[in-house]
Amino acid sequence: MAIDLQLTDGSTLAISEIVRVVPNKRLVCKAVWNHTHVYAKLFIGANAKRYAQRDKRGVQALVEVNIATPDLLYAGNAGLNEVLIFKAIEPSKNAEALYQQLNTTQEKEARLNLMLKLTAIVAQLHRADLQQTDLYFKNFLIKAETVYAIDGDGIQPFSPLFKQRQKHRNLAIFFSKIDVLDSAWIDDCYAHYCKLIGAKYSVSDYANVYNLTQKLRQKAASAYADKKVFRTCTDVKVTQTFEQYTAFASDFDAVDLTVRQLDVALNDAENRLKSGNTCTVGKSIVAKQNVVIKRYNIKNIWHGLKLSVSQSRAAKSWANAHRLTILNIATAKPLALIETRFGWLRWRAYFLSEYIHVPDIAEFFAQADDVLIKEKVAHETAVLFYKLNLLQISHGDCKASNIKIVDGKPVLIDLDSMQAHQCNWWFEKKHIKDLKRFMQNWASDPEISAIFKQAFVQVYDEIEDYQFATILERAKIA
């Protein structure tokens, strides 16, 4: 796309790409202004001026405390819109993308160093009694050895009351963005933070920050998966009428899709993957993408009445797919949720996700000849279960067909029985049930069973120190 926007000073902002949309608030665009590559924020809506001024104040606060941030080149208007123009930091990488990229064993040290650099920025803000209220890694850019803080809108002063408690909470929010498998490094980052702000390291304070980090991670995942993706936001477009509720991924261009089209696709026996009383599954091409369609059927009037007042299984799949995504666990990308309704009463529901055309884990092991490859995949699978353990998430149906192998790593599908737990005792019971069901897949294959048992023992013993120490014994794996 190419759009020329006339600014009130007479200059032209040549927009080449819209990189982010915050509905009814702002657009972030890649552009050229005065022959310079820039990023522009266009603030829209009734509160445009207030949001623009708040963002500008945040940028000025960063500059005052000597935290690197992209130069603010222009602050003004374009018609009814407020505009802020920032110099592009090139070449640079979003810290979130870089963190995800540094995921091999050889890159662990670089990943820890990145975390320490970001921790230093948080410490520098806290020394100045400032906080970034939107503490996502994507709000930092990395160029060579320099870390740039972006998004001045989130820079706010701490309240004079309970300042220390607020700092610990803000730090825990930052730590909650770290992958749960890297939680062991929170101690290093906290010690680094204490050194930089001139505070004495306290085991008690660290324990409080660590425990708060785990709670905030679960809370953030729940807020996103159980609430945010059910309304229009950056990632999702939602429409609702008396007869239908729809939620589409923002980059899934199928808003004209109808229930009738989905039913026609599912009636095609050639592309049907599963037929059942309560669920029909098929594959099709929608909006030029290969998708899996799951229709949750109504068996009879009594079944329908029961389901009409509870969350649909399609909605649970939609929520859980987003939950796994935000927690960095691989799953098929959720594309759409469609519920037919009569007012607030739900009826038939559909869940669409990307179609992953790869073997499931049983097919993969049946086809693989190299023992080393089998051991590597078994290790990655054990890491997946261990990660679910740390996050207190149970899958509910760990048969082989619900785990696909993509590039040597497991991808979880069929998420309508998945649960996020608050009660440790109940979660342990569910996790052990998941482990037992998974090992049943190999009951008739002692060789593969032994490979998985070895992988589980290595992963759980290697990473876990104290919590859930008897899980593998109770699951009859160790």
Side-chain angles (χ1 to χ4, degrees), residues 88-109:
I89 305 300
E90 296 177 337
S92 65
K93 275 195 175 180
N94 173 316
E96 185 176 87
L98 182 58
Y99 180 78
Q100 297 297 339
Q101 179 185 320
L102 300 171
N103 60 4
T104 66
T105 303
Q106 295 78 12
E107 294 169 324
K108 286 291 185 180
E109 186 176 346

Side-chain angles (χ1 to χ4, degrees), residues 444-477:
S444 61
D445 194 328
E447 178 189 355
I448 302 302
S449 180
I451 290 175
F452 275 109
K453 284 183 178 181
Q454 182 183 22
F456 276 106
V457 169
Q458 286 178 345
V459 169
Y460 278 61
D461 284 355
E462 179 181 296
I463 305 176
E464 190 62 85
D465 293 325
Y466 56 95
Q467 200 174 20
F468 306 138
T470 63
I471 277 181
L472 296 186
E473 292 180 12
R474 290 162 63 190
K476 299 182 180 179
I477 292 176

Side-chain angles (χ1 to χ4, degrees), residues 21 27 41 53 55 57 75 84 101 105 148 154-155 165 180 250 272 295 303 348 357-358 366 372 391 426 430 460:
V21 177
L27 288 76
K41 288 186 177 181
Q53 289 176 343
D55 203 313
R57 284 196 301 270
L84 298 181
Q101 179 185 320
T105 303
Y148 292 83
I155 305 299
R165 184 183 300 177
V180 71
S250 295
R272 193 176 305 146
R295 182 183 67 203
H303 183 229
R348 187 176 285 179
H357 187 52
V358 295
L372 292 178
L391 294 167
W426 187 245
K430 290 289 188 176
Y460 278 61

Side-chain angles (χ1 to χ4, degrees), residues 23-24 227-239 245-247 250:
N24 302 316
K227 297 178 182 177
K228 189 172 183 179
V229 297
F230 287 91
R231 62 177 188 266
T232 295
C233 60
T234 303
D235 300 328
V236 177
K237 299 175 185 175
V238 170
T239 58
Y245 169 94
T246 64
S250 295

Side-chain angles (χ1 to χ4, degrees), residues 192-213:
H192 187 55
Y193 168 84
C194 289
K195 180 180 179 181
L196 292 175
I197 67 169
K200 184 179 179 181
Y201 175 92
S202 161
V203 174
S204 175
D205 285 345
Y206 164 68
N208 289 336
V209 170
Y210 182 88
N211 292 332
L212 183 57
T213 296

Side-chain angles (χ1 to χ4, degrees), residues 121-180:
I121 299 296
V122 176
Q124 197 170 347
L125 283 167
H126 286 191
R127 273 205 318 267
D129 288 336
L130 295 172
Q131 62 178 320
Q132 167 57 271
T133 59
D134 194 18
L135 262 177
Y136 286 91
F137 284 13
K138 65 186 177 183
N139 282 332
F140 300 94
L141 297 177
I142 311 296
K143 181 181 180 182
E145 294 300 311
T146 304
V147 180
Y148 292 83
I150 60 175
D151 190 18
D153 181 70
I155 305 299
Q156 303 291 331
F158 286 108
S159 169
L161 299 176
F162 311 113
K163 189 183 297 183
Q164 190 58 37
R165 184 183 300 177
Q166 290 177 332
K167 288 182 178 180
H168 278 175
R169 181 177 180 82
N170 190 241
L171 186 63
I173 290 172
F174 167 70
F175 288 153
S176 72
K177 310 308 178 187
I178 296 171
D179 189 279
V180 71

Side-chain angles (χ1 to χ4, degrees), residues 289-433:
Q289 293 187 49
N290 290 314
V291 303
V292 172
I293 305 167
K294 295 186 76 172
R295 182 183 67 203
Y296 294 91
N297 304 318
I298 306 298
K299 291 190 294 185
N300 52 53
I301 187 65
W302 304 113
H303 183 229
L305 288 173
K306 178 183 176 182
L307 295 181
S308 67
V309 294
S310 60
Q311 186 181 42
S312 69
R313 289 170 65 193
K316 290 177 182 177
S317 295
W318 175 255
N320 283 326
H322 284 93
R323 190 187 319 279
L324 292 186
T325 300
I326 199 172
L327 292 171
N328 195 31
I329 294 178
T331 189
K333 182 179 179 180
L335 298 174
L337 164 65
I338 301 174
E339 294 179 338
T340 56
R341 294 183 175 186
F342 183 80
W344 55 271
L345 296 175
R346 298 171 180 85
W347 199 242
R348 187 176 285 179
Y350 303 76
F351 172 62
L352 278 65
S353 63
E354 67 172 328
Y355 175 61
I356 304 176
H357 187 52
V358 295
D360 65 39
I361 196 166
E363 294 167 339
F364 179 88
F365 273 84
Q367 296 167 8
D369 295 323
D370 191 325
V371 174
L372 292 178
I373 290 177
K374 291 180 181 180
E375 289 177 347
K376 184 177 179 181
V377 171
H379 177 83
E380 293 291 345
T381 304
V383 169
L384 166 65
F385 276 90
Y386 179 74
K387 195 168 183 178
L388 292 172
N389 177 328
L390 292 177
L391 294 167
Q392 293 197 299
I393 293 174
S394 64
H395 182 272
D397 189 10
C398 290
K399 59 188 178 186
S401 60
N402 288 334
I403 303 175
K404 299 285 189 177
I405 302 299
V406 178
D407 297 328
K409 295 189 176 182
V411 176
L412 276 180
I413 61 172
D414 198 7
L415 309 178
D416 51 22
S417 296
M418 178 172 284
Q419 289 181 284
H421 299 269
Q422 300 294 326
C423 173
N424 291 344
W425 173 83
W426 187 245
F427 165 70
E428 280 189 36
K429 185 175 180 180
K430 290 289 188 176
H431 186 63
I432 290 167
K433 185 177 180 181

